[in-house]
Amino acid sequence: MEFSPVHYIAVPLFAAFLIPLVGKVSKELVKLIPGLVLLYLSYGSIMLFPKGMENPIIEIIAGFKPPFGIALYYGATAAFLVTLVTLLGFVIWLYSYKFIIREPIEKYYMLFMLLITGATGIMLTGDIFNLFVFLEITAIASYSLTAFLRDKDSAEAAFKYLLIGSFSSAFFLLTVMILYTYTGTLNLADLASKADMIPANAKGFALLLVIVGMGIEAEIFPLNGWAPDAYSQAPSPIGAVFAGIVVKAAVYAFIRIIFLFFKTPEVLHFIVIIGLITLIIAEMAALRQHQIKRMLAFSSLGQMGLVILALGIGTTESTSAALFQMFNHAVIKAMLFFAAGYLVFHSGSKLIDSVTGLGYDKPITSFFFSLGALAIIGLPPFSGFWSKLNVLISIASEGEILIIVLILAASVVEAVYYLRIIGKLYTRKEIDSNPRRTPISGLLAMGILAIVIIVIGIYPDVLTQWLQPAAENLLNSEEYIQTGLF
Amino acid sequence: MRKAVAILLLGIFGYYFASIFLSLPFGEKREGVGKHYLENTISETGSVNTVTSIVVSYRGFDTLGEVTVLFLASTGLGAILFDVRRKKRNEQNASPIVRTTSTVFYPMIILLGAYVFVHGHLTPGGGFQGGAIIATGVLLMFMAYRKFEANHTLLSVIESLAGLTFVTVGLTGLIYGGSFLVNFLPLGTPNDLVSAGVIPIIYIAVGFKVGAELTVVLDDMLKTIR
């Protein structure tokens, strides 16, 4: 059986259903299953990636040609993002292996596996109702994992997320309803080709519902109030999944729908503005945080604001810069969450102040955190430098100097709060050395990401050669319609 | 002041919302995929129930997703309520009338549920409905008898096996038919109990799964109510 896009969904689902049965036999085996599945998918991704970059692969489900059946669309953008998700998912599993010691471990891995499946499904599907189903899977897995630690704060965060997330799902379902009633089809490519059949007022309302509904999941201001709580109260590897995988899927779906149905200069302009506002407000809020993981959450919102801004500019350069920034943010923020997870664990407190002096007691974990912090600020020679530079160059070529000034101002704010933590880490202070060590699997996970950050920082061409086709695929709706419909 | 602005904005949104949704031409014209489904259901899927053919065949992938959503809900609930101290449900048994009637009705409700999901491709209903009916039967027993216990180990095994059946049917289609979830069995004669290819297999699996999951959810919830 040759590897095909549907494996991304079928294999993890099979594994998730299998875990409870395996759990009756051996608890250790349960922990290994997600790793094996993600290893298999990573291998498949690497096999499939060059093909998807060349020509979009359309995989028909249940043997009915679209628009009558559902089809998966594995184009260059999806190939880029899905490969990122499976590889990062594997590293997150590696980190979880020793980090998650609290029962029910079996349920943790089931939810973790399904969360990644949902996010992959969002990126792969070529059908708008199927997109809704995967959004639901992702959202419900996220709610449960946010509450996984079962204390008061995490329950509150999960409940908040649940309430806002339900609005998101309902609004998106209403959008699907409007689009389906006027066009009689659910396939994205077919829908896009028939978008003219929708009257202007209904289309305008659908746009409003998409911006509010998908905006909640894509964490744009002012709809992102749930995100800092959810990111910081969920277990650290899940924080990494949210920042590295879930929000990427949501932003991709949001932008794909906007580009397919509502791509007018006014809408793109609006997206640039909300991206900019999200960036600035999130960075200002991050500066005021006292808890390390909450600060990372706000920083994540800011980074995604920058991505949305760059996507809204709508040129090939800016879109490929946005995808590059998405990649860097996924890798670097995952590493920061990993390191922060153990810093919190070692210091026994969530507060930023309590990491003072840990740089000498726990040198390796602190080193990884510092490396991640420098990379995300955008200092050379780390990968974060190139993506930020590319974003700025692409905006400069559009002549939007004011936006550049604001982004640089936000970057300065970002540098302040990250450097503040590095400063604290390496301030000498007498602390009781505690015997707990960061386990090998955790260090290995952070080490892999650190190598990626440095290698891409020194040889950005390894990655940037793939960004051009991915960006073109995202921008070119005509091609999407033609390839998606046979 | 803030409330007044909120009510005003809500009013404007509500008006706009109503005007859009009241003018939707829903069900007026039979075009697009809907028309295709109505005309070709029997020849393409062998199922005389068009709704079932759409749910399990044309859009079977969505159904797999929805089954996963329910699975997630029950797993997530189990994870969140993991260390909540379990309580005895109700303090005393229900009245003799309720108890006697429940004992008589319980097997009949289970049978009705099974009938609904086995005949999913022939009559209205299907796996989700049949599974929900079975769970109501169990709920009746929960309310009538204090000592009636659901066997969680058995239920989770049923849940897993049913989910695995669904995905295995899909993967078998991928291997032998070249497409995930494609029908690889003969379609048979329409209106026969054994017809419509893989649809009955999938719906029986869904019925078991939904029945088991809703029972677990009911049991979890009933035991944590204060």
Side-chain angles (χ1 to χ4, degrees):
Chain A
M1 186 163 52
E2 209 182 329
F3 191 88
S4 67
V6 78
H7 284 56
Y8 285 113
I9 292 147
V11 175
L13 275 185
F14 190 87
F17 293 140
L18 194 65
I19 286 177
L21 291 183
V22 174
K24 307 252 181 292
V25 184
S26 154
K27 290 271 172 206
E28 277 304 303
L29 214 54
V30 165
K31 290 168 144 189
L32 286 176
I33 288 178
L36 292 175
V37 168
L38 286 164
L39 200 61
Y40 169 67
L41 293 181
S42 306
Y43 162 76
S45 294
I46 292 164
M47 294 292 113
L48 207 58
F49 184 76
K51 294 184 205 162
M53 276 290 159
E54 234 165 69
N55 281 311
I57 300 172
I58 315 295
E59 174 148 23
I60 294 172
I61 307 285
F64 298 104
K65 272 192 170 184
F68 306 114
I70 296 169
L72 299 180
Y73 185 95
Y74 185 83
T77 324
F80 179 75
L81 291 173
V82 167
T83 308
L84 168 66
V85 164
T86 45
L87 295 173
L88 186 62
F90 178 75
V91 176
I92 295 174
W93 166 79
L94 198 62
Y95 178 82
S96 299
Y97 193 76
K98 287 279 178 199
F99 189 85
I100 299 296
I101 39 179
R102 185 148 182 203
E103 287 292 341
I105 290 174
E106 186 183 304
K107 293 204 177 355
Y108 171 84
Y109 282 109
M110 281 151 78
L111 293 168
F112 170 71
M113 181 117 274
L114 291 173
L115 179 57
I116 292 184
T117 315
T120 322
I122 292 175
M123 292 164 176
L124 280 175
T125 187
D127 186 284
I128 198 165
F129 188 79
N130 200 232
L131 176 60
F132 168 76
V133 172
F134 281 118
L135 273 173
E136 282 281 271
I137 292 179
T138 313
I140 294 174
S142 305
Y143 309 149
S144 322
L145 284 168
T146 304
F148 188 77
L149 295 175
R150 302 188 291 283
D151 53 15
K152 197 166 146 274
D153 290 341
S154 62
E156 187 194 326
F159 192 65
K160 209 187 228 179
Y161 189 8
L162 173 69
L163 284 183
I164 303 176
S166 312
F167 269 98
S168 161
S169 305
F171 279 13
F172 189 67
L173 189 59
L174 290 172
T175 317
V176 174
M177 195 174 141
I178 294 177
L179 298 179
Y180 175 72
T181 321
Y182 283 108
T183 58
T185 179
L186 290 167
N187 183 280
L188 275 170
D190 198 25
L191 257 176
S193 71
K194 290 178 180 163
D196 297 337
M197 290 162 75
I198 308 165
N201 62 343
K203 207 173 170 181
F205 196 69
L207 174 64
L208 181 71
L209 291 175
V210 164
I211 288 181
V212 177
M214 298 294 290
I216 290 171
E217 294 292 342
E219 298 165 13
I220 57 177
F221 183 81
L223 306 165
N224 54 13
W226 59 270
D229 289 352
Y231 278 57
S232 55
Q233 296 306 332
S236 294
I238 299 306
V241 177
F242 286 168
I245 295 177
V246 174
V247 67
K248 302 290 175 299
V251 167
Y252 170 67
F254 176 63
I255 287 299
R256 179 63 94 187
I257 288 177
I258 294 284
F259 280 2
L260 280 179
F261 302 112
F262 310 105
K263 199 180 175 190
T264 60
E266 297 80 35
V267 174
L268 290 185
H269 212 77
F270 178 72
I271 287 176
V272 171
I273 291 171
I274 51 174
L276 193 60
I277 296 175
T278 308
L279 169 68
I280 292 168
I281 298 213
E283 298 291 10
M284 302 290 271
L287 188 63
R288 295 165 51 98
Q289 297 308 312
H290 300 296
Q291 290 182 9
I292 188 160
K293 276 164 73 182
R294 253 185 106 73
M295 190 204 80
L296 290 180
F298 275 108
S299 157
S300 182
L301 297 183
Q303 296 280 326
M304 287 323 283
L306 183 62
V307 169
I308 290 169
L309 187 165
L311 287 169
I313 300 280
T315 60
T316 316
E317 289 75 35
S318 75
T319 311
S320 58
L323 289 169
F324 196 4
Q325 179 71 13
M326 269 165 126
F327 173 88
N328 279 335
H329 176 244
V331 172
I332 302 171
K333 197 48 70 61
M335 183 156 106
L336 285 169
F337 267 106
F338 288 174
Y342 276 111
L343 288 180
V344 168
F345 178 71
H346 291 319
S347 68
S349 155
K350 290 176 176 174
L351 296 178
I352 291 175
D353 288 335
S354 62
V355 304
T356 313
L358 272 183
Y360 298 98
D361 190 32
K362 300 280 178 273
I364 305 177
T365 312
S366 307
F367 167 75
F368 282 133
F369 188 90
S370 314
L371 190 136
L374 295 177
I376 208 147
I377 298 168
L379 291 183
F382 303 115
S383 58
F385 168 72
W386 296 105
S387 59
K388 238 177 199 172
L389 186 70
N390 284 1
V391 170
L392 291 174
I393 290 173
S394 70
I395 298 171
S397 63
E398 294 299 298
E400 304 275 4
I401 300 304
L402 180 65
I403 296 180
I404 292 184
V405 171
L406 289 171
I407 292 175
L408 287 175
S411 298
V412 171
V413 175
E414 196 179 26
V416 168
Y417 61 77
Y418 275 116
L419 292 176
R420 191 177 62 187
I421 294 196
I422 297 180
K424 282 210 164 78
L425 276 173
Y426 294 100
T427 305
R428 279 214 181 269
K429 184 187 162 195
E430 285 301 312
I431 46 170
D432 308 331
S433 181
N434 77 48
R436 291 187 290 196
R437 291 274 156 239
T438 309
I440 299 294
S441 65
L443 292 178
L444 197 61
M446 287 186 260
I448 293 172
L449 296 182
I451 291 170
V452 171
I453 292 170
I454 293 170
V455 168
I456 302 284
I458 297 171
Y459 305 104
D461 292 345
V462 177
L463 193 74
T464 42
Q465 55 172 323
W466 305 112
L467 293 171
Q468 184 85 8
E472 276 166 9
N473 177 272
L474 188 57
L475 282 170
N476 195 341
S477 302
E478 293 301 318
E479 190 209 338
Y480 188 90
I481 292 169
Q482 275 165 17
T483 50
L485 272 182
F486 292 90
Chain B
M1 185 58 202
R2 269 181 70 186
K3 274 185 188 164
V5 173
I7 289 171
L8 190 70
L9 282 175
L10 210 59
I12 295 170
F13 181 78
Y15 171 76
Y16 198 30
F17 188 90
S19 71
I20 295 292
F21 277 86
L22 288 175
S23 66
L24 277 188
F26 198 69
E28 280 173 19
K29 43 177 187 180
R30 295 230 165 101
E31 279 172 19
V33 291
K35 188 169 173 232
H36 177 90
Y37 294 151
L38 282 173
E39 286 167 1
N40 301 304
T41 293
I42 295 179
S43 64
E44 285 186 0
T45 67
S47 159
V48 289
N49 182 344
T50 312
V51 175
T52 297
S53 78
I54 295 170
V55 170
V56 184
S57 228
Y58 291 108
R59 305 195 65 87
F61 200 51
D62 282 343
T63 306
L64 180 58
E66 292 298 346
V67 167
T68 310
V69 166
L70 197 58
F71 179 69
L72 265 174
S74 104
T75 309
L77 197 67
I80 294 168
L81 299 179
F82 186 72
D83 44 16
V84 172
R85 202 161 46 84
R86 296 300 154 107
K87 296 185 175 167
K88 281 269 186 293
R89 274 192 311 269
N90 33 0
E91 291 302 311
Q92 62 188 57
N93 284 341
S95 71
I97 301 174
V98 177
R99 270 184 288 151
T100 317
T101 335
S102 304
T103 328
V104 177
F105 271 131
Y106 178 54
M108 285 160 69
I109 294 176
I110 301 284
L111 191 67
L112 175 67
Y115 175 86
V116 167
F117 68 65
V118 169
H119 290 75
H121 53 301
L122 304 174
T123 54
F128 288 98
Q129 296 85 337
I133 292 172
I134 288 177
T136 57
V138 181
L139 177 63
L140 189 64
M141 291 303 272
F142 278 154
M143 294 198 296
Y145 291 96
R146 189 173 62 171
K147 290 217 169 76
F148 187 83
E149 286 289 340
N151 183 342
H152 275 249
T153 317
L154 178 68
L155 286 173
S156 95
V157 169
I158 292 177
E159 210 178 315
S160 290
L161 287 178
L164 289 175
T165 310
F166 199 152
V167 183
T168 309
V169 167
L171 288 173
T172 315
L174 187 62
I175 295 167
Y176 293 105
S179 172
F180 188 69
L181 277 175
V182 76
N183 181 39
F184 54 86
L185 293 176
L187 290 180
T189 326
N191 272 322
D192 274 8
L193 182 58
V194 181
S195 67
V198 295
I199 291 180
I201 302 177
I202 292 178
Y203 250 178
I204 289 169
V206 172
F208 271 102
K209 196 164 167 54
V210 172
E213 259 152 20
L214 289 180
T215 306
V216 171
V217 169
L218 285 172
D219 199 36
D220 275 347
M221 300 290 258
L222 282 170
K223 282 181 179 166
T224 44
I225 291 173
R226 276 173 202 284

